[in-house]
Amino acid sequence: MSEPRLRADAADNRARIVEVAREVVAGSEELKLNAIAKRAGVGQGTLYRHFPTREALLAEVYRHDVEELVATAPALLAEHDPITALARWFERLADYARVKRGVLAAVEVGVWRDLTARSLGPIGEALTALLDAGRAAGVVRPDVDARDVILLVGYLGRLEEQEWDTRARHLLQVVLDGLRARP
Amino acid sequence: MSEPRLRADAADNRARIVEVAREVVAGSEELKLNAIAKRAGVGQGTLYRHFPTREALLAEVYRHDVEELVATAPALLAEHDPITALARWFERLADYARVKRGVLAAVEVGVWRDLTARSLGPIGEALTALLDAGRAAGVVRPDVDARDVILLVGYLGRLEEQEWDTRARHLLQVVLDGLRARP
DNA sequence: CACGCTAGCGGACACGTGTCCGGTTGTCAC
DNA sequence: GTGACAACCGGACACGTGTCCGCTAGCGTG
């Protein structure tokens, strides 16, 4: 289960890649992988070994943000009824997704990776907690899981900037209604 | 409104490109654009002039299927109540989407193109008809349009083959419930 | 410290996409 | 028919992605 521990230079390279990637997305330049490699002073091979896909890199870059997002779930549940908590959580997700497009991809890949590994993983746990609470209260339909929800809100990633204001929040509401238990 | 009419050779090339593309997708080979160009006996420039994006080509390739899909909407409305009609239409869409992945992209780009051109276009009209009927009967929420729905069902395009059976239909139901008018 | 084994390196390469532009060829007016 | 002009052609090119593999150098051992 525990990683075989990286060699010193490898860990170094990995860290430098992530750092450069973070700078790049922070400057809202687009993420060109071989450029990242060059700027990090490593070959492409190195980059691709550490992060087999673009999403893997994004997942690492946004890990902090994702963890932040995950952390809000319990707090929301403590303060609100399950449906409201879920709604609020969606809003947070939307806020992230708007500014940092990559975060959505990171979440998607994360949930998928985790679910197939049969361990929910942080995001899965957060979402599952929200869903479970709703189910327990009889306000969320019993037949949906974290992956389902992620699939549904995935439209956020395909939204054009200009239609964000009119559609993002609004469709989140539609999704939420779909997740409710049918009376 | 009417296209300026193509030059003879241009029309010819265009037709041949589409034909080849159709063969390729029929053989379930993947669509490599420059390969299409070569097999159609034209340069890439020509291909890209006729179809600026991959989606544009797919839209043409699947136009027939899409029109078929569109045509079912009135029939469904005549036979069923609006919600059932919408549900059935979703199922058709899912059937297409499963077999011909490209059709989803074609629908998405079509709806988007049409909506921005302020003329709904065939798919938009079909969906709008379904939604309107539901609205009129008070069973569909009044604040959603065709683009909204397409965005929501877009998850079909990101579904892994293996999870299709467990999730596709099921999530369609969730979306449908979300589209219902709140009692 | 020296040695060897192997994890890790990194850049050349193969491939797909999409653009650009000099040359060609339909088409229409006369 | 013929000329001229625009529409159209097509392939070279620039770029990004992802793979592969011969070489390098970190790290544990004696």
Side-chain angles (χ1 to χ4, degrees):
Chain A
M1 197 93 280
S2 67
E3 313 297 316
R5 202 171 117 254
L6 244 35
R7 229 168 65 181
D9 54 344
D12 213 49
N13 277 334
R14 189 186 155 89
R16 215 161 53 253
I17 290 169
V18 174
E19 186 187 353
V20 170
R22 230 185 288 268
E23 281 171 20
V24 168
V25 303
S28 69
E29 311 160 49
E30 54 182 317
L31 195 81
K32 285 179 269 189
L33 297 195
N34 61 7
I36 300 287
K38 182 170 288 184
R39 274 169 65 164
V42 303
Q44 278 116 291
T46 304
L47 192 160
Y48 280 101
R49 192 163 349 90
H50 285 300
F51 306 99
T53 68
R54 161 186 305 276
E55 283 71 32
L57 178 53
L58 282 176
E60 186 58 32
V61 167
Y62 287 121
R63 206 184 56 196
H64 184 69
D65 301 275
V66 169
E67 280 170 1
E68 206 168 282
L69 187 62
V70 162
T72 64
L76 289 172
L77 272 176
E79 283 183 43
H80 305 91
D81 64 290
I83 286 289
T84 308
L86 197 50
R88 290 280 154 78
W89 196 81
F90 276 178
E91 283 171 22
R92 301 282 172 98
L93 177 61
D95 288 342
Y96 276 111
R98 175 167 206 175
V99 182
K100 324 179 180 186
R101 284 303 174 98
V103 92
L104 226 275
V107 168
E108 283 193 325
V109 74
V111 169
W112 180 236
R113 191 221 300 118
D114 293 339
L115 283 189
T116 55
R118 283 221 184 62
S119 84
L120 285 151
I123 312 156
E125 274 172 29
L127 246 177
T128 303
L130 288 163
L131 293 175
D132 280 349
R135 248 195 303 269
V139 292
V140 165
R141 60 194 308 154
D143 56 352
V144 290
D145 65 14
R147 167 81 172 152
D148 286 332
V149 175
I150 291 297
L151 279 169
L152 285 179
V153 301
Y155 75 86
L156 288 170
R158 276 165 299 138
L159 227 39
E160 312 272 335
E161 181 61 32
Q162 68 205 77
E163 54 179 353
W164 187 278
D165 293 318
T166 59
R167 298 198 130 98
R169 297 299 179 102
H170 179 230
L171 279 176
L172 240 24
Q173 188 60 48
V174 175
V175 169
L176 195 62
D177 283 347
L179 293 177
R180 287 181 135 102
R182 302 292 300 159
Chain B
M1 196 96 278
S2 66
E3 314 295 316
R5 202 171 115 254
L6 245 34
R7 229 168 68 175
D9 55 344
D12 214 47
N13 278 334
R14 189 188 155 91
R16 218 162 49 253
I17 290 170
V18 174
E19 188 187 350
V20 169
R22 230 185 289 268
E23 283 170 19
V24 167
V25 302
S28 67
E29 312 159 50
E30 53 183 318
L31 197 80
K32 285 178 271 189
L33 297 195
N34 62 7
I36 300 286
K38 182 170 287 184
R39 276 169 64 162
V42 303
Q44 280 117 288
T46 304
L47 193 160
Y48 280 99
R49 193 161 350 86
H50 284 301
F51 305 100
T53 68
R54 160 186 305 275
E55 282 70 33
L57 178 54
L58 282 175
E60 186 59 31
V61 166
Y62 287 120
R63 203 183 57 195
H64 185 68
D65 301 275
V66 169
E67 281 169 1
E68 208 168 279
L69 187 63
V70 163
T72 63
L76 288 172
L77 272 177
E79 284 182 43
H80 304 92
D81 65 289
I83 286 287
T84 309
L86 197 50
R88 291 277 152 79
W89 196 82
F90 276 177
E91 283 171 21
R92 302 281 171 101
L93 178 61
D95 288 343
Y96 275 111
R98 173 168 206 176
V99 183
K100 325 177 181 191
R101 285 305 175 95
V103 91
L104 226 276
V107 167
E108 283 194 325
V109 72
V111 169
W112 179 237
R113 190 222 300 117
D114 293 339
L115 284 189
T116 54
R118 285 219 183 65
S119 84
L120 285 150
I123 313 157
E125 273 171 28
L127 245 176
T128 303
L130 288 163
L131 293 175
D132 280 348
R135 248 195 303 267
V139 291
V140 165
R141 62 195 306 156
D143 55 354
V144 290
D145 64 15
R147 167 83 173 149
D148 285 332
V149 175
I150 291 297
L151 279 169
L152 285 179
V153 300
Y155 74 86
L156 288 171
R158 275 164 300 139
L159 227 41
E160 312 273 334
E161 181 62 32
Q162 66 203 78
E163 54 180 352
W164 186 278
D165 294 316
T166 59
R167 299 198 130 98
R169 297 299 179 102
H170 179 229
L171 278 176
L172 240 24
Q173 188 61 48
V174 175
V175 169
L176 194 63
D177 283 346
L179 293 177
R180 287 181 136 103
R182 301 292 299 159

